[in-house]
């Protein structure tokens, strides 16, 4: 339910992007926001038909505009349901 969702500010979104695992040194997370919802897009990166690089252009930020420019017909809500981590809130709204 909504209560289990994290409230994510734009700066948190940026911070969560490209963090490296201390042990392996591999990049762990890529988070993006689409129309107010925040997703960990990492698991989807290798499967994106437009390529990992294109999807990464939206990493750490709100990708709605880029997304809508390229493929407004794609139903990302169905595709990324499992990857949703939270909701985007303004910088002033303290995280829950
Ligand atoms: C293609 C999903 C984000 C760039 C596609 C396609 C899907 C998809 C399903 C195939 C569409 C079709 O053939 O009709 C997604 C999802 C996204 C996402 C779920 C968000 C999580 C983005 C972003 C960009 C982008 C942010 C650009 C910065 C592209 C491009 C193609 C494509 C250029 C066309 C590839 C081609 O036809 O050669 N994407 N996409 N996508 N996507 Fe995305």
């Amino acid at each position: 339910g909504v209560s289990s969702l994290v409230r994510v500010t734009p700066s948190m979104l940026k911070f969560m992007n490209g963090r490296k695992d201390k042990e392996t040194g591999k990049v762990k997370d890529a988070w993006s926001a689409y129309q107010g919802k925040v997703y960990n897009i990492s698991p989807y990166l290798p499967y994106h038909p437009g390529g990992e690089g294109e999807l990464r252009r939206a990493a750490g930020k709100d990708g709605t505009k880029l997304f809508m420019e390229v493929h407004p017909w794609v139903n990302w809500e169905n595709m990324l349901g499992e990857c949703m981590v939270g909701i985007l809130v303004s910088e002033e709204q303290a995280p829950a």
Side-chain angles (χ1 to χ4, degrees), residues 34 44 48-50 54-55 57-58 66-67 70-71 73-74 80:
Y34 291 95
Y44 182 63
H48 179 231
E54 285 292 291
L55 189 53
R57 286 173 61 201
L66 279 172
F67 184 101
V70 190
H71 41 42
W73 58 87
V74 171
L80 297 179

Side-chain angles (χ1 to χ4, degrees), residues 14-80:
K14 199 175 169 196
F15 176 79
M16 287 306 295
N17 184 44
R19 280 196 318 170
K20 288 183 179 163
D21 188 288
K22 274 182 192 156
E23 312 255 297
T24 65
K26 284 189 178 169
V27 176
K28 280 201 299 191
D29 299 315
W31 286 20
S32 280
Y34 291 95
Q35 293 201 342
K37 293 176 181 177
V38 178
Y39 299 89
N40 180 353
I41 56 168
S42 314
Y44 182 63
L45 282 166
Y47 303 103
H48 179 231
E52 187 166 334
E54 285 292 291
L55 189 53
R56 275 198 190 277
R57 286 173 61 201
K61 48 191 163 191
D62 190 328
T64 308
K65 194 166 171 283
L66 279 172
F67 184 101
M68 290 303 175
E69 278 169 13
V70 190
H71 41 42
W73 58 87
V74 171
N75 190 337
W76 84 88
E77 286 196 287
N78 276 358
M79 300 176 61
L80 297 179

